[in-house]
Amino acid sequence: MHKKSFVWVFKAAAFLAVLLVTLFFLQRLLMPKYMSDIVEGALTAEYYEETTGHEVLFVGDCEVYENFSPITLYEEYGISSYIRGSAQQLAWQSYYMLEDTLRYEMPRVVVFNVLALKYDEPQSEAYNRMTIDGMEFSKTKLDAIKASMTDRENTLDYLLPILRYHSRWSDLSAEDLTYMFSKDKISHNGYYMRVDVRPAEGFPEPDILADYTLGSNAMGYLDKMRTLCEEKGIALVLVKSPSLFPHWYDEWDEQIAAYAAQYGLDYFNYEKLASEVGIDYNTDTYDAGLHMNLTGAEKLTSYFGRYLKENYELTDHRADPEYQSVYAEKIQFYDYMEAVQRKELSEYGEIVSY
Amino acid sequence: MRNMRRIMTAAALSMVFGLTACGGSDKGGASDGGYSFTSGSTKIEMGADASKVIEGLGEADEYFESESCAFEGLDKVYTYPGFKLNTYPDGDKDYVLSVVFMDDTVSTDKGISIGSTKDEVTDAYGEASEESAAKLVYESGDTELAIGLNGDSVSSVEISAVVEE
């Protein structure tokens, strides 16, 4: 009888193990890979592959990951930095991305791009997924999920993504097999490179808003970011990138400036400083003024790097053999991607691989 | 032993059916009974196929398109006299996202325009779902009517579809 019971338990355990392994492989297969399309979805997970620390951390939406180049910061100032940004990364997601980063390292300066403060509530499951799915499991990730979900989402779908993605079986491609367990690197310390040029043209007249007050939920997370930085002895810097659209209202700008003044933070609106930075909207944007291209991002980074160098005690890592070795590889990849994009641009008139 | 096999089979099947039971997608579509806006003879329903609306409205004074942060497809803005029409992409089609009043030459289907009084708004639409000193928000179906207030006077009007962009 005891032997029979043991056999029964063993078989049940074996069955359960096979079932769980099968589900694990199915989940890996069915989850979006973000490799040949919507590559921005792969940004969050890349951070965990870093081997060296970062003294400057950028958090925010596309206005950070397309407008600042950590490779330029290293090459020109020896500053080590990383961008933890993703598409439409909302204020609470930036807060949790900061909290997540602090589980691994302690930067000296955190730079937050303020555009996302215009959103006061969850917006889109698709963008939520691109930001959160790549986070490693932790209480921080759980909190990020809870803060981010739209009405139609539920926590279990995030914890067991196969519940959400099972219907992708009919859309599976070779890419899903190729990148089931490892992915190509697509960013440069979180920076998404584009070398093409599309001059800025006209923009529609800004909407007349019902209320220009930045939402209390979003501003609450800015406050949490500030408090967390204060507790950890980290300097918080607020920036508005020189992107021209969506419109950044003067009323919003005044609220951020007042907040920064109240707490002694530096706030730079680079839309207003664009000419001083040297941004030329005819040559430095790849999508008519919404985001910087490589030359625009490098100009902005070079300008901002000078401020960082002059105002904070940041290490020049260029003399450190470990960083030299790591960054030699990063720079090689950076130069390679730039060359490939320029080649594609001249051959096809557009960038096709990135 | 036979029971054991039945349990395992049932467990496996319930997992499979459990995984295939949910799903579904949110495609665009005109909101039944929600707020709309009429320009000339063209009724603009939120969430409606934008191509038919644009055809009805005729050529816009200005047109602007922008790529979304990451996704394929374009958010489009059509400027007509007195208002802007915003659309969003879903698959290979565009749908009406919102109508935003730009001056006092246009009004809602119940006669509210920029410059109307707060009393005129509440007379027309009743009690707001959300109210503050700066705005009144009304909800109907999958649409929203947001009315900005500057003191007692309407400063902005936006009719929009409630969608996940």
Side-chain angles (χ1 to χ4, degrees):
Chain A
M1 186 64 191
H2 283 302
K3 193 177 175 185
K4 274 187 179 175
S5 293
F6 176 77
V7 170
W8 191 91
V9 169
F10 177 78
K11 285 189 174 175
F15 169 78
L16 198 62
V18 170
L19 193 65
L20 288 175
V21 169
T22 305
L23 285 174
F24 170 75
F25 277 91
L26 275 175
Q27 180 162 291
R28 299 297 302 216
L29 179 68
L30 289 166
M31 284 186 75
K33 307 302 182 293
Y34 302 116
M35 282 287 99
S36 62
D37 197 13
I38 321 178
V39 296
E40 292 89 337
L43 291 172
T44 298
E46 278 193 5
Y47 169 73
Y48 304 104
E49 293 165 20
E50 286 291 288
T51 56
T52 50
H54 313 95
E55 292 189 346
V56 176
L57 174 72
F58 293 86
V59 285
D61 52 19
C62 52
E63 290 204 0
V64 283
Y65 73 74
E66 301 199 37
N67 292 354
F68 290 94
S69 166
I71 301 304
T72 301
L73 269 186
Y74 175 82
E75 284 185 310
E76 293 191 9
Y77 303 101
I79 295 171
S80 57
S81 65
Y82 202 93
I83 299 169
R84 296 213 68 186
S86 57
Q88 204 189 70
Q89 183 168 298
L90 301 168
W92 39 97
Q93 294 168 336
S94 285
Y95 169 78
Y96 289 113
M97 212 57 91
L98 165 63
E99 196 178 90
D100 184 58
T101 307
L102 298 186
R103 295 167 59 227
Y104 302 90
E105 59 178 323
M106 197 60 63
R108 292 184 180 174
V109 181
V110 167
V111 183
F112 173 60
N113 188 79
V114 295
L115 176 68
L117 293 169
K118 66 183 269 199
Y119 298 109
D120 199 42
E121 51 192 35
Q123 298 289 309
S124 154
E125 181 189 12
Y127 284 119
N128 284 346
R129 286 285 178 176
M130 290 201 289
T131 301
I132 295 170
D133 275 346
M135 288 177 83
E136 289 197 345
F137 184 75
S138 66
K139 182 181 177 299
T140 297
K141 178 170 181 170
L142 271 176
D143 291 339
I145 293 167
K146 285 176 193 161
S148 303
M149 283 188 302
T150 58
D151 292 342
R152 295 172 180 168
E153 297 177 78
N154 67 76
T155 309
L156 194 60
D157 284 354
Y158 279 90
L159 300 180
L160 295 169
I162 192 171
L163 297 174
R164 184 65 186 87
Y165 292 121
H166 62 85
S167 56
R168 279 196 73 242
W169 67 269
S170 54
D171 299 325
L172 289 178
S173 65
E175 176 180 298
D176 288 293
L177 279 172
T178 307
Y179 299 109
M180 203 163 153
F181 292 105
S182 68
K183 293 180 182 172
D184 292 341
K185 199 171 175 56
I186 57 110
S187 85
H188 309 275
N189 283 30
Y191 167 62
Y192 171 70
M193 179 191 289
R194 287 287 295 261
V195 305
D196 38 341
V197 178
R198 187 178 158 208
E201 296 164 356
F203 295 97
E205 199 177 329
D207 289 355
I208 301 169
L209 302 187
D211 188 353
Y212 292 87
T213 310
L214 292 166
S216 58
N217 185 38
M219 288 301 284
Y221 275 96
L222 171 60
D223 217 43
K224 279 167 74 88
M225 246 183 275
R226 177 186 61 78
T227 309
L228 183 59
C229 286
E230 267 179 20
E231 284 169 8
K232 303 290 183 186
I234 300 168
L236 176 64
V237 179
L238 306 179
V239 296
K240 167 66 186 75
S241 287
S243 298
L244 298 174
F245 189 86
H247 186 73
W248 180 250
Y249 292 88
D250 286 342
E251 290 87 345
W252 294 346
D253 199 53
E254 287 161 11
Q255 287 167 67
I256 300 302
Y259 182 89
Q262 182 180 354
Y263 294 105
L265 307 177
D266 279 343
Y267 168 52
F268 303 106
N269 181 342
Y270 288 112
E271 262 190 73
K272 292 180 176 173
L273 296 168
S275 59
E276 195 177 312
V277 173
I279 300 293
D280 179 346
Y281 288 103
N282 288 311
T283 57
D284 294 333
T285 164
Y286 77 87
D287 53 5
L290 278 68
H291 305 100
M292 297 290 99
N293 59 17
L294 182 63
T295 59
E298 289 185 341
K299 283 180 185 176
L300 179 61
T301 305
S302 183
Y303 186 91
F304 185 62
R306 199 175 316 128
Y307 157 78
L308 288 173
K309 200 69 184 171
E310 289 170 358
N311 289 277
Y312 303 97
E313 288 184 14
L314 299 172
T315 314
D316 185 341
H317 288 288
R318 287 173 294 189
D320 182 327
E322 186 192 359
Y323 278 81
Q324 275 179 0
S325 164
V326 168
Y327 274 82
E329 204 174 308
K330 286 176 183 287
I331 290 165
Q332 190 179 28
F333 176 49
Y334 188 80
D335 293 342
Y336 167 78
M337 188 182 282
E338 181 185 354
V340 170
Q341 288 196 15
R342 292 203 186 284
K343 186 165 180 277
E344 287 184 356
L345 207 52
S346 68
E347 281 182 12
Y348 310 114
E350 62 178 336
I351 293 167
V352 292
S353 301
Y354 298 97
Chain B
M1 185 51 67
R2 191 173 291 169
N3 280 344
M4 180 63 194
R5 283 196 188 125
R6 280 181 184 161
I7 291 167
M8 288 182 176
T9 307
L13 284 174
S14 67
M15 291 295 281
V16 171
F17 286 124
L19 293 179
T20 52
C22 55
S25 59
D26 301 318
K27 291 289 175 193
S31 304
D32 294 332
Y35 296 113
S36 59
F37 170 69
T38 304
S39 175
S41 58
T42 305
K43 184 176 184 183
I44 305 172
E45 293 181 302
M46 302 303 113
D49 183 343
S51 62
K52 290 172 187 162
V53 173
I54 305 298
E55 193 183 323
L57 291 171
E59 193 177 345
D61 291 349
E62 282 180 32
Y63 168 74
F64 176 77
E65 60 184 29
S66 63
E67 290 177 29
S68 62
C69 254
F71 290 109
E72 288 182 1
L74 299 166
D75 295 328
K76 298 174 181 174
V77 184
Y78 300 84
T79 305
Y80 291 96
F83 71 96
K84 285 198 306 185
L85 173 73
N86 296 298
T87 72
Y88 68 97
D90 189 347
D92 57 357
K93 278 189 172 183
D94 293 322
Y95 296 92
V96 175
L97 175 65
S98 64
V99 167
V100 182
F101 289 8
M102 300 305 289
D103 58 36
D104 60 4
T105 61
V106 291
S107 57
T108 69
D109 290 349
K110 291 190 177 182
I112 299 302
S113 58
I114 290 176
S116 296
T117 65
K118 185 181 174 185
D119 286 345
E120 287 171 335
V121 175
T122 51
D123 285 348
Y125 289 98
E127 196 176 331
S129 314
E130 185 188 325
E131 180 173 351
S132 69
K135 68 177 174 180
L136 299 168
V137 179
Y138 294 89
E139 294 169 353
S140 174
D142 287 335
T143 68
E144 195 174 89
L145 169 65
I147 293 181
L149 296 171
N150 184 1
D152 187 45
S153 176
V154 171
S155 58
S156 71
V157 177
E158 178 175 2
I159 306 166
S160 57
V162 179
V163 292
E164 282 192 16
E165 287 183 62

